[in-house]
Amino acid sequence: MGAGKTFIILKLIWEHYKIYCGNKIYPIVCYRQEILKDLFFDKDNNIDENKKKIWKENDIIDLDCFRIIDKINNKDKEIKNSKKKPTILLVNTDFLRAIDKANDDDDLDHYVFDYDRIAYITLDECHGISANNLYAIFKKIKYEHNKHIIGFSATVLRDGAEKKLCDIFSSTLDRTEEEKKLNIISRYDFMDAIRDNIIVPP
C-alpha cells in the first residue's frame, strides 16, 4: 500500500489513449466500491477537482479528455458511452456481473456494454480473483470476449489461488493453452517506493 497503484492505473489509461486515441472504454473494476470512491470522488460524490488538477499537472491523466461513467454512486440501469470521447467506466464487480448478464439476455433497455470498444480491463484488488464468482466473470470476459485484464494488488499471493491467477493474468487469450504463467509486469513494492522517495503519506 502507498506505492502508487492509483497513479499507475490512471497513467496506463492515459498512455494507452495517447497512443491509440479513439473512443475506447476503460473499465476500472474493484469488488470494494469504497476504494473506487476514495480514488475518484469527494465527500459529495462528485469527481474530486483537486485530484483532477494534480493528475493533469503531473501528466498522470487529463480526465477532461474522458467521459466518466460512475456506477459506484449512480446505480441506475443506463450506460451512455460517448461516441467521440474515450470512456472511463467505474464499476464494482457485482454491477459488472449485472451488465454482463443484461448483455447475454439482450436486455439493451437496461445496459449497453460494447465489449468491442473495451481497450482492456483494470481490476484493482485483483487477489480477490480466487473467489469463484469473481473468477467466473473474468474468465468469461477474457476468453469469450478476448479482453486482457490487468490486475493490481498490494496483497501477496494467497495460498491455493495460483491457478486462477495464472488463468486470468497470463498474457494468452487461448483458454486451451496448458502451461499458463502469471504475467507479472511489475513487482514494485514498499521498499522500492521508499528508495525512490515517492511513498504516499499515511
Side-chain angles (χ1 to χ4, degrees), residues 37-162:
K37 283 185 179 183
D38 289 343
L39 172 57
F40 277 95
F41 301 101
D42 61 23
K43 58 181 175 55
D44 298 317
N45 294 330
N46 298 312
I47 296 291
D48 191 315
E49 293 298 324
N50 290 327
K51 288 181 180 177
K52 263 181 70 173
K53 183 180 177 186
I54 291 169
W55 295 338
K56 183 174 182 178
E57 287 174 351
N58 289 280
D59 193 35
I60 294 167
I61 193 168
D62 182 357
L63 283 186
D64 291 329
C65 295
F66 296 81
R67 175 181 173 82
I68 308 294
I69 298 181
D70 169 19
K71 290 302 170 189
I72 300 301
N73 298 300
N74 179 5
K75 299 289 190 181
D76 67 24
K77 295 183 176 181
E78 188 172 35
I79 293 178
K80 289 186 177 178
N81 297 308
S82 173
K83 292 183 178 177
K84 296 180 180 178
K85 277 184 167 184
T87 297
I88 294 176
L89 173 64
L90 304 173
V91 60
N92 71 334
T93 51
D94 288 339
F95 204 88
L96 182 67
R97 278 196 292 271
I99 293 170
D100 185 71
K101 185 178 185 305
N103 272 32
D104 283 349
D105 296 341
D106 292 326
D107 191 1
L108 298 184
D109 290 336
H110 286 80
Y111 305 105
V112 177
F113 198 54
D114 187 353
Y115 279 106
D116 291 336
R117 283 183 54 195
I118 290 177
Y120 60 87
I121 293 180
T122 299
L123 177 60
D124 198 9
E125 303 291 311
C126 68
H127 54 273
I129 204 72
S130 57
N132 289 334
N133 286 341
L134 198 57
Y135 172 69
I137 184 66
F138 280 99
K139 184 174 182 179
K140 178 181 178 184
I141 289 170
K142 179 172 182 177
Y143 295 115
E144 291 185 22
H145 298 291
N146 293 313
K147 295 300 165 186
H148 287 287
I149 299 154
I150 301 177
F152 289 82
S153 179
T155 301
V156 295
L157 179 63
R158 290 176 171 173
D159 290 339
E162 188 170 354

Side-chain angles (χ1 to χ4, degrees), residues 159-178:
D159 290 339
E162 188 170 354
K163 188 175 187 302
K164 289 179 178 177
L165 283 165
C166 289
D167 194 22
I168 300 303
F169 301 112
S170 60
S171 57
T172 183
L173 291 172
D174 180 2
R175 75 167 73 217
T176 63
E177 189 173 309
E178 290 185 16

